[in-house]
Amino acid sequence: MSYKPTNIQYSNIHKRWKRHIVLKEVDIHVQGGHCILISGKNGSGKSTLLRIMAGLVKPDQGTIELGLGTLPWKQGVKITQQQVMYLHQTPYLFSGTVEKNLRYVQAAHNNLPIEMEDINKAMAWANIRHLSHKPVHQLSGGERQRVALARARLRSPKVLLLDEPTANLDKDSRARVMELLSSLRKQGVAIVIASHDPIHFSSVIDQRLRLIHARLEPEPSQPDNIIPLHERGASHS
Amino acid sequence: MTDSSLLSSLLDALQLLLLGDGKLWSIILVSFKVSSLAMLVAALPAVICGFLLAYMRFPGRRLLISLFNTLLAVPAVVVGLTFYILLSRHGPLGDWKLLFTQTAMVLGQIALCFPIMVAMSHAAFQAIDLRAWETARTIGAGTVQAFMMIVSEARYAILGAFVAGFGRIIAEVGASMMLGGNILHYTRNIPTAIALETSKGELSQGIALGIVLVTLSFLLVSVLHYFQGRGQIQ
Ligand SMILES: Nc1ncnc2c1ncn2[C@@H]1O[C@H](COP(=O)(O)OP(=O)(O)OP(=O)(O)O)[C@@H](O)[C@H]1O
Ligand SMILES: [Mg+2]
């Protein structure tokens, strides 16, 4: 199997909810091994943009370019959908145990066999192995987030879209998320993170964008010393 | 009627049930055969309809929802009457020659249990977060697989819908009487037999069948409660 780096250009995305324009002429280019951070205030449209890119929400306008020329949205998204994984702001876990949730990834992914060994590895990595037989409704917010991350690691998509991935996490878990992100980035996964709290991600970010007045703009560069020292320490461990 | 004759009818009824009276059991068998067939045909399409109504957005969706909610309140006799007109010799489907057959009864019972199962599975799916569907899709499940995952999330409520659907048809008289014609060993089921035997004064037969129905209803309600309880724990 020949390796082809991911390269998707989403262009001219428009989205309105009723009369409220959320996204206007938004262009975004995702590339394997490249990590983008989208910041913006509450309600600025970050989640909406990621959900559109994941094929979960239909934009009013937009095209997708995949190196085969420009495709209309409907056609393009059919192809990208299989490569893109979206992590909800608050993850949904299926009723049952943690392990069952990871097995679901295996079942859904039956053209690419995942062994029990991989499930165990993913659980150990996300530090949820001790929870493997626990029913998910008993988990804490941070634990649920870690299950969702283990699921993402198992799925190993070409493009990973994360919606506020560290909102519920303590420092240790946050450091672990950074580890995941930088290892995925090294493996050539394209990453897009939406967060109004962009400071935690500095160690993995290649490009910073900002949603403001429904438009996606480059973030004006900021001095490095804004990042608190202890956070930098955590993100490199 | 005196107390002693009622008591003796009751004893006769128990005797009929316990000794396995052939006529009685053939009636019970017809009931279960017809209603199970109707359930077998209606269950999956009803769940799919409930799913589409809960998760898809298309024009006419709201109208369909109120239509099913209206249909589930239509009396069984009216459903019977409708199919009677359709299937009668000079009706639009008269050529099928289905009136007074088990097939006609199955058709009527499908029409009776389908709306209630659609309405209840629609409610069952609505109780499941839309993120469940999105998550299924985003971990790589295809449409059918994602559907199965959502069904599994709503399994207790959906089983509840099946129980309610079965409960609606196993004990109804109107449609069975009009479409089946109450022919012994063929279309006579529990409710039509009770109506007939009682009107002939054969109380013990009626009571025996009544005991079967009451026991069955009790079981169904218990099962329904059990599933509803399980659903809430999740
Ligand atoms: N399904 C929907 N129907 C109607 N309006 C919606 C819907 N989803 C989002 N919106 C609106 O679109 C706007 C953008 O929402 P979105 O969730 O994308 O913001 P966000 O940047 O992710 O915010 P936050 O930081 O709070 O997560 C909001 O005003 C929201 O009310
Ligand atoms: Mg959001």
Side-chain angles (χ1 to χ4, degrees), chain B residues 167-189:
Chain B
R168 168 116 157 115
I169 56 180
I170 192 73
E172 70 72 36
V173 197
S176 298
M177 189 74 95
M178 296 186 78
L179 299 172
N182 211 3
I183 305 161
L184 185 59
H185 298 309
Y186 184 44
T187 59
R188 183 170 305 167
N189 63 7

Side-chain angles (χ1 to χ4, degrees), chain B residues 38-104:
Chain B
M39 285 295 293
L40 218 60
V41 176
L44 185 64
V47 171
I48 292 175
C49 279
F51 177 79
L52 293 177
L53 290 175
Y55 276 84
M56 304 295 149
R57 293 292 170 266
F58 52 88
R61 177 179 149 271
R62 281 181 180 285
L63 200 74
L64 273 178
I65 293 173
S66 18
L67 179 73
F68 280 115
N69 282 320
T70 313
L71 284 180
L72 75 88
V74 170
V77 210
V78 176
V79 172
L81 177 67
T82 310
F83 275 82
Y84 185 93
I85 294 169
L86 289 175
L87 296 175
S88 65
R89 199 133 54 92
H90 300 294
L93 305 177
D95 291 344
W96 294 2
K97 298 204 167 39
L98 285 179
L99 200 59
F100 306 140
T101 64
Q102 286 190 352
T103 314

Side-chain angles (χ1 to χ4, degrees), chain B residues 194-208:
Chain B
I194 292 179
L196 180 75
E197 300 299 343
T198 311
S199 71
K200 286 197 316 198
E202 297 273 351
L203 264 191
S204 45
Q205 284 270 351
I207 292 175

